[in-house]
Amino acid sequence: MTTQFAAAAVLTGLLALATLASCNTEGDILYAQRLAWKDPNNVLQSWDPTLVNPCTWFHVTCNNNNSVIRVDLGNAGLSGPLLPNLGGLQNLQYLELYENSLNGTIPATLGNLTNLVSLDLWDNLLTGAIPTSLGAISTLRFLRLYENNLTGAVPSSLGNLTSLLKLELQKNSLNGSIPASLGNIKTLEFLRLNENMLSGMVPSEVLSLVVVGNLTELNIAKNNLAGTDRSSGLRVAVIIQDKLKTA
C-alpha cells in the first residue's frame, strides 16, 4: 500500500510539473513575441517572464489549468512580425490582434492552433499568402484578415472550415478564382471578398449557400470577375434574403 501511495504521489508530482512546464512554455512564447514587437504605448509592460505563468499578464486570459486561451491586443499600437512560435499555444481560442501595424507574413504554424475559435488580424500591414494550414482549424468560427496587403490565391483548404460563420478577406490583393470548396461551409453567414483581384466566375457551389446554407451576405464587388466591370462600382455587392419558410 505504501508503494502505491508513493507511486501516486510521484504521478501527481509529474502531472504538476508537466502543467507548470506547459505554462512556462506559453509564457516563453508570448514573451518572445513581446520582444519582437515595438510597443510604444507600453501595453505589454506586465508581460514579466519571471512569473510562474502568463495568466496574470494584462490582455491574456487563461483557463482553470492556467493555460492561455485568449490574447486580446486589438488596437494596441503594436508593430512588428508574428512569430511562428505562436502556433505552440495549444489551447488558444481567441487571437485578437486587429487594428495594429503588424507586418510580415502570417505564420503557417497558426494552423496548429486546433482549438482556435477566432482569428482576427484585420487592419494591419501583413503581406504574403494566406497559409493553407489555416484550413486545418476545424473549430474556427471567425476568420477576419481584411485590410492587409495579402497576395496569392484564396486557399481551397478554407472549405474545410465547416464551423465558420464569417470569412472576411476583403481589401487585400488576392488573385485567382474563388474556390468552389467554400460551398462546403453551410454555416457561413458572411463571405466578404470585395476589393481584391479575383477572376473567373463565382462558383455555383458558393451561390447555393443562399438556399442550402445560412449565407446572408456575399460581397464580391471590385474584383476582376467574369461578366463584371471593375470600374462600375457595386455591380454585385450583397445578397440579402429573408429566412426561407418551412413547410
Side-chain angles (χ1 to χ4, degrees):
M1 187 66 68
T2 302
T3 303
Q4 290 178 336
F5 280 130
V10 169
L11 180 60
T12 301
L14 289 174
L15 289 173
L17 284 173
T19 301
L20 182 60
S22 174
C23 295
N24 285 338
T25 299
E26 292 181 338
D28 291 343
I29 290 171
L30 290 176
Y31 187 67
Q33 182 62 80
R34 175 193 173 180
L35 295 178
W37 280 338
K38 292 182 180 178
D39 177 24
N41 300 326
N42 290 321
V43 297
L44 304 178
Q45 192 170 15
S46 66
W47 287 26
D48 182 353
T50 65
L51 299 178
V52 173
N53 61 55
C55 299
T56 58
W57 297 358
F58 290 157
H59 313 291
V60 174
T61 305
C62 293
N63 60 18
N64 292 334
N65 295 320
N66 291 327
S67 185
V68 175
I69 59 172
R70 291 189 70 114
V71 176
D72 290 285
L73 286 166
N75 194 21
L78 301 171
S79 62
L82 295 170
L83 297 185
N85 288 352
L86 289 173
L89 300 175
Q90 296 180 356
N91 294 302
L92 192 66
Q93 298 176 20
Y94 294 86
L95 184 56
E96 307 295 320
L97 300 175
Y98 54 87
E99 289 188 315
N100 285 290
S101 297
L102 305 181
N103 54 36
T105 60
I106 300 174
T109 52
L110 296 189
N112 297 330
L113 300 175
T114 54
N115 291 296
L116 201 63
V117 173
S118 178
L119 179 58
D120 276 318
L121 302 178
W122 52 271
D123 197 3
N124 278 286
L125 303 171
L126 297 168
T127 56
I130 298 172
T132 59
S133 59
L134 298 185
I137 311 175
S138 60
T139 53
L140 204 58
R141 301 182 71 191
F142 305 97
L143 179 55
R144 291 177 280 221
L145 307 178
Y146 61 90
E147 292 188 43
N148 279 286
N149 299 310
L150 300 173
T151 55
V154 177
S156 60
S157 63
L158 299 186
N160 297 326
L161 302 176
T162 53
S163 297
L164 204 62
L165 299 178
K166 294 186 178 182
L167 177 57
E168 301 187 47
L169 307 178
Q170 68 269 29
K171 297 185 178 180
N172 281 288
S173 296
L174 301 171
N175 56 39
S177 59
I178 298 173
S181 61
L182 298 183
N184 297 331
I185 314 175
K186 302 300 189 290
T187 55
L188 199 61
E189 297 175 356
F190 296 91
L191 176 56
R192 293 171 176 152
L193 302 172
N194 50 296
E195 297 189 50
N196 280 289
M197 301 172 64
L198 300 172
S199 57
M201 302 289 289
V202 181
S204 58
E205 293 89 344
V206 173
L207 292 174
S208 71
L209 291 177
V210 176
V211 177
V212 300
N214 294 322
L215 193 66
T216 57
E217 180 176 330
L218 168 62
N219 193 333
I220 52 173
K222 297 187 179 180
N223 279 286
N224 297 318
L225 296 169
T228 66
D229 182 352
R230 189 180 180 93
S231 63
S232 66
L234 300 181
R235 184 179 178 89
V236 180
V238 294
I239 296 174
I240 299 175
Q241 175 175 296
D242 292 331
K243 186 176 182 180
L244 297 176
K245 292 182 178 180
T246 55

